[in-house]
Amino acid sequence: MTLFASKLAPAAVLLAGGIVLSGCATKSYVREQIAPVSQRVDSLETRLQQTDATAKSALAEAQAASGQLQNQGQRVDQLNGRVDGVEQRLQAQEARPKRPRH
């Protein structure tokens, strides 16, 4: 054997052994390993969709409540104006000299 062949032979044996020992994962093995992760992802997606629906419902309710609150605020403002007018008229009547009743 030549010097080159004697140095190349162990490298070739190691390379061939590495390839043989590493092997390839079969499709069924990969499916078995991925199945639990896939189930967890599906479960989390379902929970996320439920949470999203709940959040959208809460947002719609909050927006409706905000609209009602604005309407109520406008009504209060109107009533305050009316009360102010009544108070002014009452004060004006109290400020006038009173005439004796007969």
Side-chain angles (χ1 to χ4, degrees), residues 58-74:
L59 176 62
E61 289 178 18
Q63 288 173 335
S66 175
Q68 290 175 350
L69 183 61
Q70 287 177 343
N71 288 340
Q72 295 302 325
Q74 289 173 352

Side-chain angles (χ1 to χ4, degrees), residues 1-14:
M1 240 198 245
T2 67
L3 183 61
F4 178 71
S6 66
K7 289 184 179 180
L8 185 61
V13 169
L14 285 174

Side-chain angles (χ1 to χ4, degrees), residues 76-96:
V76 167
D77 289 342
Q78 290 171 352
L79 290 174
N80 279 337
R82 291 175 63 188
V83 167
D84 289 343
V86 169
E87 285 178 345
Q88 288 174 357
R89 284 187 296 220
L90 183 61
Q91 288 174 354
Q93 280 182 348
E94 289 175 352
R96 281 192 236 155

